[in-house]
Amino acid sequence: MSEPTETTAAPSSGPAPGATSGATIQLEQLTKRYPGNPNPSVDGVSMDIKAGETVVFVGPSGCGKSTTLKMINRLIEPTSGRIRIGDEDVTDMDPVKLRRKIGYAIQSSGLFPHMTVAENIALVPKMVGWSKSRVKDRVEEMLDLVGLDPREFHGRYPRQLSGGQQQRVGVARALAADPPVLLMDEPFGAVDPITRDHLQDELIRLQHELHKTIVFVTHDFDEAIKLGDRIAVLRERSHIAQFDTPEAILTNPADDFVSGFVGAGAALKRLNLTRVRDVEVADFPTVTVDDPLQQIFNKLRTGPHNELLMLDRRGRPYKWLRRGDLMRAKGSLARAGQLVHDTVTRDATLHDALEAVLTDSGGRVAVTGRRGEYIGVVDMETLMNSVHEMLEADRLAATEHQHDLEELRHHRTEQELEGGADPS
């Protein structure tokens, strides 16, 4: 992808779904040797990555997955081998120019602490010569894209952000100059599990809109299943044990090494292959924090449910309210109800949703949009129906596979009998 110029693109109000795309990546016998080490750290990796797909490198610590990733943008120089991005061999080009065409996000977000959020995001667009007005528009666009209100976060410094917010800004900065390729080195490894789930969902949503080529490194196989279009399971020195879709690896691991990564509960892990957007999101009665107590009580008394979901002033899930809570409220909702501790987005997996439902006494979880706004709920019954459908589909597939094997054996037996009866 060529560097942006003022004549090729005007600022947009936001990227349209499918409007941008990634580039192919080809690694050819990529090798890295360090002086004094008799064995290469990365040994002859060859791989074709399709434009617009997310490929996840997963493997044990020290297997060379991060080294392989960093050779793509030449933060680590290859000892030998070739790297092609799109139609361009980038092995010998100026590495600084190369990195301006490749987004890069790391575990600690990598934000410059002395720069504001806006200045961090604007860094690369300024380097490649965008005008001030275009950079300003792009900063607001990117903040909105990663679910942060530009008015609220524009002037903040990294120290004023939570870990999850820092990672969102890190992703926004990596994508600011619209690179075709995004490299991510365990970007969500340092945040708490709930924040990590939401950041993963955010990346999935962004990828649906932008269609970049993403290469993602993780040691967490569940994360690899959730995010990857394809997963490269790497042995030591980045030897590829299996490079396939998550579903193929779960159902047919190549060997015992790959099976060790899949681990127990492969059927349950398949819940990471289906998203909340693929199941029914039901409506649920809601009220807001500004509604009068009597109005809330009347809605509970006359409605089909014995509880309501209270939304805050931004339309985000705030509390679950039951009839008994209101009886004890005595005119005040300050201490009434149960705070909403977890939500899921449409891009969350059914595994995420099931975990949230199991930890909730009501057996349901609220579904939210980009800014945390309420959309609906998913309950245990819906999830269990999806699990049963998945298991039934697996059973039918196994039956068909067994039938095919029996037909093949029967055909071979007939051929052998015919061959034996041949007088010649």
Side-chain angles (χ1 to χ4, degrees):
M1 177 178 178
S2 60
E3 294 184 2
T5 63
E6 292 309 306
T7 58
T8 56
S12 64
S13 58
T20 58
S21 61
T24 58
I25 301 174
Q26 291 178 300
L27 309 181
E28 299 176 6
Q29 292 297 309
L30 209 58
T31 298
K32 180 63 183 179
R33 294 179 179 271
Y34 288 101
N37 191 337
N39 296 316
S41 296
V42 174
D43 184 18
V45 174
S46 294
M47 179 183 295
D48 287 349
I49 298 172
K50 301 171 187 174
E53 78 170 336
T54 300
V55 167
V56 181
F57 293 172
V58 63
S61 297
C63 73
K65 53 188 183 292
S66 288
T67 301
T68 303
L69 182 86
K70 290 175 182 176
M71 284 194 286
I72 295 175
N73 67 353
R74 298 196 22 230
L75 278 174
I76 294 177
E77 286 291 347
T79 304
S80 61
R82 312 300 296 177
I83 307 159
R84 287 182 170 82
I85 297 178
D87 297 325
E88 188 174 16
D89 187 332
V90 302
T91 314
D92 301 316
M93 75 178 292
D94 181 348
V96 175
K97 289 183 178 179
L98 171 64
R99 288 175 206 137
R100 289 176 183 172
K101 298 181 180 183
I102 297 176
Y104 185 55
I106 57 177
Q107 185 174 119
S108 61
S109 80
L111 300 178
F112 292 107
H114 61 286
M115 292 183 176
T116 65
V117 165
E119 289 168 343
N120 267 284
I121 296 173
L123 201 59
V124 177
K126 283 182 178 179
M127 286 181 178
V128 297
W130 290 23
S131 69
K132 287 184 178 180
S133 61
R134 188 179 177 197
V135 170
K136 179 177 179 293
D137 289 341
R138 184 61 171 175
V139 167
E140 293 192 6
E141 180 182 335
M142 294 312 300
L143 281 171
D144 185 68
L145 192 67
V146 297
L148 298 175
D149 188 340
R151 294 168 297 179
E152 183 178 350
F153 290 93
H154 187 279
R156 290 191 185 183
Y157 287 88
R159 66 179 180 275
Q160 297 171 310
L161 307 178
S162 69
Q165 290 166 346
Q166 288 182 27
Q167 289 305 118
R168 287 171 184 261
V169 175
V171 172
R173 185 178 68 175
L175 292 169
D178 198 22
V181 172
L182 176 60
L183 307 181
M184 309 188 80
D185 194 357
E186 301 206 47
F188 310 143
V191 296
D192 64 90
I194 292 177
T195 301
R196 185 176 191 174
D197 283 340
H198 287 300
L199 288 170
Q200 291 166 349
D201 297 343
E202 195 73 13
L203 179 62
I204 292 166
R205 181 188 63 77
L206 284 172
Q207 180 65 332
H208 275 298
E209 294 189 26
L210 301 179
H211 303 283
K212 300 296 183 184
T213 303
I214 299 176
V215 186
F216 190 107
V217 165
T218 183
H219 64 275
D220 184 339
F221 190 70
D222 287 335
E223 183 170 61
I225 296 169
K226 179 175 179 178
L227 297 178
D229 295 314
R230 287 192 293 166
I231 299 171
V233 183
L234 304 180
R235 306 179 193 270
E236 62 178 10
R237 299 197 291 276
S238 282
H239 290 164
I240 298 172
Q242 190 167 357
F243 186 25
D244 214 329
T245 64
E247 186 169 13
I249 291 174
L250 284 173
T251 56
N252 191 25
D255 55 25
D256 290 342
F257 178 82
V258 179
S259 295
F261 267 95
V262 173
L268 189 60
K269 290 179 189 293
R270 289 196 62 201
L271 288 173
N272 279 317
L273 302 176
T274 307
R275 312 289 176 192
V276 170
R277 63 173 176 266
D278 298 324
V279 301
E280 181 183 359
V281 176
D283 197 10
F284 199 84
T286 61
V287 293
T288 73
V289 293
D290 294 322
D291 290 342
L293 181 62
Q294 187 59 48
Q295 180 179 326
I296 295 173
F297 187 80
N298 290 340
K299 191 168 186 178
L300 252 180
R301 186 174 56 187
T302 59
H305 299 274
N306 66 350
E307 66 179 338
L308 299 169
L309 178 59
M310 175 176 279
L311 309 179
D312 67 13
R313 290 184 175 90
R314 295 187 180 182
R316 300 173 301 189
Y318 173 50
K319 283 184 177 181
W320 296 103
L321 287 177
R322 297 181 179 178
R323 291 176 185 175
D325 298 326
L326 294 180
M327 298 297 291
R328 292 186 293 269
K330 296 181 180 179
S332 172
L333 291 173
R335 297 183 180 179
Q338 179 184 1
L339 290 174
V340 175
H341 292 294
D342 198 8
T343 60
V344 296
T345 68
R346 288 185 184 274
D347 290 306
T349 66
L350 293 195
H351 189 278
D352 295 334
L354 183 59
E355 281 191 341
V357 167
L358 289 173
T359 57
D360 187 285
S361 59
R364 71 278 182 271
V365 62
V367 181
T368 58
R370 180 189 299 183
R371 295 279 178 83
E373 71 278 9
Y374 168 76
I375 293 175
V377 297
V378 170
D379 58 22
M380 179 62 80
E381 183 181 359
T382 299
L383 293 175
M384 292 311 299
N385 286 340
S386 296
V387 170
H388 289 316
E389 289 174 6
M390 190 180 300
L391 292 174
E392 180 63 17
D394 287 349
R395 188 189 66 79
L396 290 173
T399 301
E400 289 179 4
H401 180 64
Q402 185 63 33
H403 178 70
D404 290 342
L405 287 176
E406 289 175 357
E407 280 195 342
L408 181 61
R409 290 194 196 100
H410 179 69
H411 181 64
R412 284 178 176 172
T413 301
E414 286 184 336
Q415 285 183 324
E416 289 169 359
L417 289 172
E418 289 174 0
D422 192 336
S424 62

